[in-house]
Amino acid sequence: MSMADLVSAGAPELPEGWFYRVKRAYPYRLGFKLEIRQQHRIGSELMADAFVLEERHDDMTEAVVRACRCAHRKVQARAEAGAKLAALEMCLGDHDPKGGR
């Protein structure tokens, strides 16, 4: 199954250089995990993951798409938290009531 197949089935599109990976969860009795990964020159980095809950779906494509959406929400939440922290960086330092004297 390609990224295009997942997106056409309802999975969120990912930025350039990012991809979905489905793999067995360890220990193997836990089932399967979906990962969102960012490709680097050497290897890739895990950005977020979610379990594929196959027991809740008759169609396994839908189970994978639901896991894609869950992992994507985690990526979005981290990005929003990062943006808030970056905005707080602007407030670092002393705030002199006399205007900087």
Side-chain angles (χ1 to χ4, degrees), residues 3 14 18 25-26 28-29 34 38 41 50 53 58-60 62 65 79 84 87-88 92:
M3 171 88 80
L14 297 176
W18 292 37
Y26 183 80
Y28 295 114
R29 68 180 175 276
L34 176 118
Q38 182 178 15
R41 280 184 74 156
L53 304 175
D58 293 330
D59 179 8
M60 292 303 101
E62 179 60 26
V65 167
K84 288 179 181 179
L88 283 172
L92 283 176

Side-chain angles (χ1 to χ4, degrees), residues 5-22:
D5 294 334
L6 283 174
V7 170
S8 69
E13 289 194 44
L14 297 176
E16 185 70 31
W18 292 37
F19 61 95
Y20 292 113
R21 175 184 287 169
V22 178

Side-chain angles (χ1 to χ4, degrees), residues 33-86:
K33 268 181 129 173
L34 176 118
E35 297 178 344
I36 294 177
R37 301 189 70 86
Q38 182 178 15
Q39 186 68 48
H40 296 294
R41 280 184 74 156
I42 299 175
S44 62
E45 175 184 5
L46 175 65
M47 304 309 289
D49 62 359
F51 282 99
V52 178
L53 304 175
E54 72 280 350
E55 68 278 357
R56 295 186 184 177
H57 303 279
D58 293 330
D59 179 8
M60 292 303 101
T61 299
E62 179 60 26
V64 171
V65 167
R66 292 285 294 257
C68 291
R69 291 178 188 151
C70 180
H72 191 261
R73 282 192 300 272
K74 290 179 184 180
V75 168
Q76 287 180 315
R78 287 187 191 134
E80 289 170 8
K84 288 179 181 179
L85 291 175

